Amino acid sequence: MGFCKDFAWGTATAAYQIEGAWNEDGKVPSVWDMFCHDGSHIKDGNTGDVACDHYHRYKEDVALMANFGLNSYRFSIAWSRILTFKSTEDGGFAFSENPKGIAFYDSLIDELRAHNITPYVTLYHWDLPYPICQKGGWLNKSCADWFEVYARTIAKHFGDRVKHFITFNEPSVFVGLGYKEGTHAPGYKFDTRDILFIGHHIQLAHGKAVRAIKSLVPDAKVGITFATQPVLPENESKEAIRAAYEAYFSCKKEDVVWSESFWCDPIVKGVYPESLLSECTEFADSIQKEDMELIKTKIDFIGLNIYLGRLMHPQKRLPGTPHTDVNWDVTPSALYWGTKFFYERYNLPIYITENGMACHDWVSLDGKVHDPNRIDYLHRYLLGLRNAAGEGIDIRGYFQWSLLDNFEWAEGYNPRFGMIYCDYATQKRIPKDSAYWYKTVIESNGENL
Ligand code: FCB
């Protein structure tokens, strides 16, 4: 048994990383616009102002997806294109809709459907509207209510054609890097106490959004995507596997933001990990029962972004260990262990919502982009995923990161993660060798691996 019959084969992107058009058609600035324009945070002073200019070239990009046989596409919507934000005296907002921003996603969704590509929409891929940040952003509990208004707007406009929704992309990463380490927007360095409340407000926003979407789109499938580095067992013995599982889902105060169970236990089980609550009593005492009810509103799937696994006992990397252009180790069994462990703990269908690698790609003398390392990386990782599916893990789809080379956050345009090469000077798209290879994998539903 391999991948299921209607397996979703796709690629993934995020609004800020590809769209450009940062101030067009009534879009308000997001925290990423502000962070990049400041000039000091991003490699080579790059910004997403233009990025891949997908806002104007989406038709060409959808046609490329169709050429390569993709049946699904995961993209995010920029909250800052959908609503406008007028401050009110009570510290909140009077929202109104931005018809031009909504029209852009209407056309993108129609274009996808015309090419038989199923849209998977992420509501929040890190680009918080700046007016919300000015009122405290995720530290402000009201942010959950504002997110609900946004989710409702998305469901109302697109729910007739979109049936798969992901509330948040990688809360651990945008909170860890944006609010704790300060290397991503909005660039804050908060302590653990604040991080816990920020996390809780995001959990609430998630719960409210799930309810809002389901009330307006009863046949919607709603989930959330986590970033995760599975702990790889030291060997295949029962004890080693158990030890890896325990380490994987452990949750300690000092690195709570990176803990899988901190983010996922509340959503699926309705509780924060016991070990955390006993360490953080102020936080534990402030959590209301109704909050937990809301947070555990039933979801339909879990999205996992997996690029690499980690060892039980991290050691110095051996010389010559294969790694990618962003220095991430190549660990092909990560998809196998990650899906297996998540399914064991949460028992929900799983999508791999991101996996892929940054390669040192360039255009060769023959005008093509040869990326044998990417083909080998994807091949190995997909074999691990197929093994997990073969063991009965309910895996529904795989989205390669990414459709196009794009703006890789603080790393700017240096890492190239795309299946399609982007020449940023001309915006010319050149499918890499791996795109042709991925097409054959999709055609055989992974049987040719
Ligand atoms: C993930 C992000 C995605 C992209 C990849 C490389 O953490 O979700 O936007 O940057 O990493």
Side-chain angles (χ1 to χ4, degrees):
M1 195 176 88
F3 296 116
C4 59
K5 208 168 72 288
D6 45 2
F7 196 75
W9 289 102
T11 56
T13 61
Y16 189 71
Q17 294 180 275
I18 64 165
E19 285 179 359
W22 78 278
N23 60 355
E24 283 182 43
D25 292 341
K27 177 180 167 297
V28 301
S30 76
V31 289
W32 271 96
D33 292 312
M34 304 307 282
F35 195 66
C36 293
H37 290 169
D38 167 280
S40 63
H41 302 290
I42 315 295
K43 266 215 181 113
D44 303 330
N46 290 143
T47 72
D49 287 3
V50 178
C52 309
D53 196 29
H54 174 76
Y55 191 77
H56 300 112
R57 292 167 197 264
Y58 66 94
K59 287 198 175 164
E60 178 187 352
D61 292 338
V62 173
L64 278 166
M65 287 182 230
N67 278 346
F68 287 93
L70 307 184
N71 61 36
S72 304
Y73 175 50
R74 171 180 177 236
F75 63 97
S76 80
I77 290 183
W79 188 352
S80 52
R81 288 194 197 282
I82 299 295
L83 294 174
T84 60
F85 303 80
K86 193 165 167 281
S87 289
T88 52
E89 274 177 10
D90 60 359
F93 293 104
F95 296 104
S96 46
E97 295 183 359
N98 174 25
K100 286 190 176 166
I102 293 170
F104 166 69
Y105 295 107
D106 265 329
S107 315
L108 171 61
I109 291 164
D110 289 344
E111 195 69 15
L112 288 166
R113 284 164 45 90
H115 287 83
N116 291 320
I117 299 172
T118 306
Y120 285 68
V121 165
T122 307
L123 271 66
Y124 188 89
H125 201 123
W126 307 356
D127 44 356
L128 185 75
Y130 190 62
I132 293 191
C133 180
Q134 288 175 301
K135 292 193 197 294
W138 291 110
L139 202 49
N140 184 340
K141 198 172 181 188
S142 303
C143 205
D145 300 322
W146 302 331
F147 189 71
E148 183 186 358
V149 174
Y150 165 56
R152 206 172 277 288
T153 313
I154 297 292
K156 182 177 101 189
H157 284 282
F158 310 126
D160 56 336
R161 288 155 294 153
V162 175
K163 302 296 173 188
H164 296 85
F165 297 90
I166 293 164
T167 55
F168 284 91
N169 179 67
E170 301 189 345
S172 62
V173 178
F174 77 80
V175 179
L177 300 183
Y179 294 81
K180 185 168 185 270
E181 294 179 16
T183 55
H184 275 194
Y188 297 148
K189 293 188 180 173
F190 288 138
D191 61 17
T192 305
R193 183 190 174 278
D194 288 340
I195 294 293
L196 287 170
F197 285 101
I198 286 173
H200 188 63
H201 299 157
I202 292 166
Q203 305 266 20
L204 287 171
H206 160 83
K208 285 176 185 254
V210 178
R211 288 192 184 180
I213 295 168
K214 294 220 165 190
S215 71
L216 291 169
V217 191
D219 57 343
K221 302 281 180 215
V222 189
I224 178 166
T225 279
F226 299 108
T228 180
Q229 293 186 7
V231 177
L232 309 175
E234 273 171 342
N235 56 57
E236 300 262 328
S237 71
K238 258 194 173 154
E239 296 71 31
I241 293 173
R242 196 64 358 223
Y245 175 94
E246 295 300 337
Y248 191 25
F249 292 107
S250 67
C251 180
K252 305 222 178 59
K253 184 180 169 189
E254 70 269 20
D255 47 24
V256 59
V257 74
W258 302 112
S259 153
E260 276 72 14
S261 55
F262 170 67
W263 294 104
C264 204
D265 279 15
I267 287 171
V268 183
K269 300 166 180 276
V271 285
Y272 282 103
E274 204 37 63
S275 56
L276 180 75
L277 294 178
S278 53
E279 267 190 296
C280 309
T281 45
E282 185 205 346
F283 178 66
D285 293 344
S286 72
I287 301 301
Q288 323 252 309
K289 197 159 163 277
E290 310 83 76
D291 284 1
M292 299 316 291
E293 286 301 316
L294 184 62
I295 291 169
K296 81 158 195 232
T297 302
K298 193 183 163 310
I299 55 170
D300 302 291
F301 64 87
I302 291 178
L304 296 178
N305 292 352
I306 300 181
Y307 292 87
L308 69 162
R310 56 195 151 108
L311 301 174
M312 276 287 289
H313 304 289
Q315 34 187 271
K316 220 171 133 219
R317 187 194 263 166
L318 291 174
T321 302
H323 56 269
T324 73
D325 199 32
V326 285
N327 211 16
W328 295 348
D329 283 356
V330 179
T331 57
S333 64
L335 290 186
Y336 174 79
W337 290 111
T339 51
K340 211 172 148 72
F341 285 159
F342 256 83
Y343 195 61
E344 177 181 338
R345 189 173 182 92
Y346 301 113
N347 197 25
L348 279 169
I350 292 172
Y351 286 89
I352 296 299
T353 39
E354 289 180 27
N355 168 247
M357 80 174 281
C359 278
H360 203 56
D361 301 318
W362 69 75
V363 185
S364 290
L365 283 173
D366 62 6
K368 299 182 176 160
V369 179
H370 304 295
D371 56 345
N373 286 355
R374 180 175 288 104
I375 294 176
D376 191 61
Y377 171 105
L378 297 172
H379 195 156
R380 288 173 190 265
Y381 274 67
L382 279 168
L383 280 174
L385 189 67
R386 195 178 68 183
N387 284 343
E391 288 180 18
I393 311 299
D394 189 355
I395 300 163
R396 302 283 173 95
Y398 173 87
F399 294 82
Q400 193 190 141
W401 185 270
S402 176
L403 172 67
L404 292 164
D405 294 337
N406 59 47
F407 176 79
E408 179 50 29
W409 310 114
E411 298 301 314
Y413 292 97
N414 294 302
R416 290 185 176 271
F417 272 95
M419 168 182 111
I420 292 164
Y421 182 91
C422 183
D423 177 343
Y424 297 110
T426 61
Q427 292 297 346
K428 188 173 171 206
R429 275 75 162 132
I430 306 174
K432 302 177 189 175
D433 288 355
S434 63
Y436 297 91
W437 174 84
Y438 191 41
K439 182 170 194 267
T440 68
V441 175
I442 298 172
E443 280 163 359
S444 75
N445 199 31
E447 288 300 316
N448 70 340
L449 291 166

